[in-house]
């Protein structure tokens, strides 16, 4: 990991500022206030390697960086090597999520593909104090981002719950903030949840089991927002670097990021544009920052909670914001979302949450600027 | 139940985290239209159709391995089936939209004594208008829904077993009538 002198100095200055501030817990934990600012781009290479156990004809679909946002996410291309008979980039027509589709003949004894994806990212922070000049969404985009998906119904218990939470709110900003606070205060991260969770929000609300991981908790935010008429989207991706604010739970611990998938959320507000939020990461701080099970009034939680409504740290790759993705050539069902490599053999679709048996690895390198 | 009362109950559950299986009090008599028949791939091979179980009381149980309340409920379904002395009750557990490999590994750790069916594309789940997991329909011997429950149930509770016994008795009468009318 390259440490840039400017960032190092900034971090030092931030640390010095907090050391004399009331947030003693932050300083004691070696952390600084969670305040991402869009100051410098970082470039990364990730290498995804699949080695599928041969069982007849084999197919794979590997997510590629496909979120193009001038202010914070710039995919820079993909290279691959493989012994497959076919490999080509495909794009989901609804969401524009891109992925590499690979096919091996049944005669291939050791199907393997290695994909190198380069991208640049940087921190985001929206000034929420007053509306800016953000472009409004087109009617088509508004409809798309307020629509139900297979796991994000916007009627029934989701709508009833959303109406209860936002009752009395007079602006979209108030609604978005209330939904965020509700998810932060009423859900919990569950370390036992496999992968990032599933995101079946109606089941969560009906069962009363509001625990899970990012794909559950942030999906709950997105579903409640859509049910309130606010355009919102899950953005599926991958953590690629440690948090420069010292939050151990909000970054990677090594250059092997095979299990570092993380999805975030955005809500679109008139004048502000897409506003980044991540209530699931607030609950991750609660559960995982040492010594664990922090109270909501702990300084580290308070700082993350404030920062994660309106800003994101750029130590993360955004793959796509797709739902209900049909994989071309697949025999298995539609995907609820595409955040993990997928593969099928004659035995059926492999378990993407079991990378050791699947099997795949993902590694990251930060490039010098 | 009025929507407002239902919402209040749900929010109460959310805040209280009430995920433990409960008893017969949450079983609702079914008053909707009949449910369509289905045939699904069975875990570990073959296919199974609902129609094969005509004459039995059938619990059509929708679940997923990621669904936490589903896990203790699966254990209670197994215990309930162990207490069935004859073949009058069947459980068809339908896994919703998970890869077969994941489901197989789950049941290697938690074996059960009833078939597991795979609804990979949610076709049956949608056709039965299941909006949350777990959900269970209790069908009588004519495969007509009699009760539905959204949420986890302890199927070994006396009142639940009694309710199912009541349906099996009714099924026996229905079958006897059917045989009588056919001239037996």
């Amino acid at each position: 990991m390259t440490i840039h002198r400017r960032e190092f100095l900034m971090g030092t200055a931030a640390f010095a500022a907090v050391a004399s501030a009331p947030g003693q817990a932050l300083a004691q934990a070696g952390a600084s206030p969670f305040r991402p600012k869009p100051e410098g781009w970082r470039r990364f290479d990730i290498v995804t390697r699949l080695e599928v156990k041969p069982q007849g004809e084999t197919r794979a679909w590997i997510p590629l960086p496909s979120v193009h946002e001038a202010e914070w996410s710039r995919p820079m291309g993909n290279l691959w090597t493989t012994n497959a008979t076919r490999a080509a980039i495909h794009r989901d027509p609804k969401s524009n999520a891109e992925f590499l589709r690979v096919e091996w003949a049944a005669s291939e004894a050791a199907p393997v593909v290695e994909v190198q994806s380069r991208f640049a990212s940087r921190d985001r922070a929206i000034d929420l104090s007053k509306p800016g000049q953000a472009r409004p969404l087109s009617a088509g985009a508004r409809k798309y981002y307020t629509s139900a998906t297979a796991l994000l119904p916007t009627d029934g218990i989701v709508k009833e719950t959303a109406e209860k939470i936002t009752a009395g709110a007079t602006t979209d900003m108030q609604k978005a903030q209330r939904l965020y606070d509700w998810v932060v205060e009423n859900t919990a991260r569950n370390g036992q949840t496999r992968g990032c969770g599933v995101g079946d929000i109606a089941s969560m609300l009906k069962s009363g089991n509001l625990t899970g991981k990012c794909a559950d908790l942030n999906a709950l935010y997105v579903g409640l927002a859509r049910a309130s008429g606010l355009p919102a989207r899950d953005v599926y991706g991958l953590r690629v670097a440690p948090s420069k604010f010292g939050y151990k739970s909000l970054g990677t611990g090594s250059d092997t990021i095979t299990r570092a998938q993380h999805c975030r959320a955005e809500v679109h507000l008139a004048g502000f544009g897409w506003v980044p939020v991540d209530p699931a990461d607030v609950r991750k701080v609660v559960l995982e920052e040492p010594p664990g099970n922090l109270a909501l009034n702990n300084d580290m939680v308070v700082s993350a909670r404030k920062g994660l409504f309106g800003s994101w740290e750029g130590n993360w790759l955004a793959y796509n914001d797709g739902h209900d993705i049909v994989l071309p050539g697949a025999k298995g069902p539609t995907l609820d979302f595409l955040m993990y490599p997928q593969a099928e053999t004659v035995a059926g679709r492999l378990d993407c949450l079991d990378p050791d048996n699947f099997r795949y690895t993902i590694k990251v390198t930060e490039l010098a600027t | 139940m009025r929507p407002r009362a239902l919402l209040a109950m749900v929010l109460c559950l959310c805040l209280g985290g009430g995920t433990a299986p409960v008893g017969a009090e949450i079983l609702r008599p079914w008053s909707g239209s009949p449910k369509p028949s289905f045939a699904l791939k069975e875990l570990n091979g073959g296919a199974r159709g609902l129609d094969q179980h005509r004459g039995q009381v059938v619990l059509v149980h929708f679940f997923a391995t990621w669904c936490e309340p589903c896990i203790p409920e699966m254990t209670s379904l197994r215990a309930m089936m162990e207490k069935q002395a004859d073949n009058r009750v069947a459980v068809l557990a339908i896994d919703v939209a998970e890869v077969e490999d994941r489901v197989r590994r789950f049941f290697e750790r938690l074996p059960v004594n009833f078939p597991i069916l795979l609804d990979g594309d949610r076709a049956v789940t949608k056709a039965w208008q299941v909006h949350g997991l777990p959900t269970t329909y209790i069908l009588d011997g004519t495969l007509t829904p009699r009760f539905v429950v959204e949420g986890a149930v302890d199927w070994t509770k006396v009142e639940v077993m009694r309710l199912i016994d009541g349906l099996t008795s009714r099924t026996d009468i229905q079958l006897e009538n059917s045989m009588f009318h056919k001239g037996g």
Side-chain angles (χ1 to χ4, degrees), chain A residues 99-122:
Chain A
F99 48 88
L100 186 70
R101 174 186 178 186
V102 193
E103 294 179 5
W104 291 270
S107 57
E108 178 52 57
V112 62
V113 59
E114 189 168 287
V115 189
Q116 178 185 356
S117 298
R118 180 166 295 179
F119 70 98
S121 73
R122 70 171 181 172

Side-chain angles (χ1 to χ4, degrees), chain A residues 141-308:
Chain A
R142 174 168 286 276
K143 183 178 179 189
Y144 179 73
Y145 289 117
T146 51
S147 296
T149 73
L151 290 185
L152 297 182
T154 53
D155 57 1
I157 193 168
V158 179
K159 186 161 185 64
E160 290 162 11
T161 307
E163 285 174 350
K164 181 89 174 173
I165 296 166
T166 59
T170 55
T171 67
D172 285 352
M173 176 67 80
Q174 285 178 358
K175 288 181 184 175
Q177 178 79 57
R178 282 204 194 172
L179 294 169
Y180 177 81
D181 289 337
W182 188 87
V183 174
V184 167
E185 290 169 9
N186 290 282
T187 68
R189 180 177 172 86
N190 183 345
Q192 302 304 311
T193 298
R194 292 193 76 210
C196 290
V198 171
D200 185 342
I201 64 171
S203 289
M204 291 172 72
L205 291 170
K206 284 191 175 179
S207 70
N209 180 6
L210 298 184
T211 71
K213 289 185 181 168
C214 60
D216 300 307
L217 309 191
N218 284 341
L220 191 55
Y221 181 84
V222 170
L224 290 169
R226 290 187 180 194
S228 305
L230 303 177
R233 59 189 181 189
D234 292 294
V235 188
Y236 297 96
L238 195 61
R239 297 186 205 271
V240 294
S243 168
K244 66 187 175 192
F245 302 105
Y247 282 75
K248 296 175 181 65
S249 61
L250 301 186
T252 57
S254 78
D255 61 356
T256 298
I257 54 171
T258 306
R259 299 171 191 268
Q261 288 79 9
H262 177 56
C263 59
R264 292 173 168 176
E266 292 178 287
V267 60
H268 194 278
L269 301 174
F272 299 96
W274 283 110
V275 174
V277 300
D278 197 341
D281 259 1
V282 181
R283 296 307 313 195
K284 194 166 193 285
V285 169
V286 168
L287 180 68
E288 296 181 4
E289 284 299 326
N293 294 313
L294 304 182
L296 281 178
N297 63 0
N298 177 283
D299 282 349
M300 291 197 76
V301 178
V302 170
S303 182
R305 178 174 179 172
K306 185 174 179 188
L308 288 167

Side-chain angles (χ1 to χ4, degrees), chain A residues 47-56 58-62 81-84 102 104 108-115 258 341-345 350-351 354-363:
Chain A
V47 176
T48 305
R49 181 179 175 84
L50 270 69
E51 295 173 89
V52 184
K53 290 176 192 167
Q55 280 187 284
T58 301
R59 300 169 293 279
W61 302 264
I62 301 155
T81 56
T82 180
N83 55 5
V102 193
W104 291 270
E108 178 52 57
V112 62
V113 59
E114 189 168 287
V115 189
T258 306
Q342 303 289 325
E344 291 180 353
T345 68
L350 305 184
D351 187 352
D354 189 8
D356 295 339
N357 282 302
F358 185 109
R359 96 187 224 256
Y360 65 84
T361 59
I362 309 174
K363 296 201 169 196

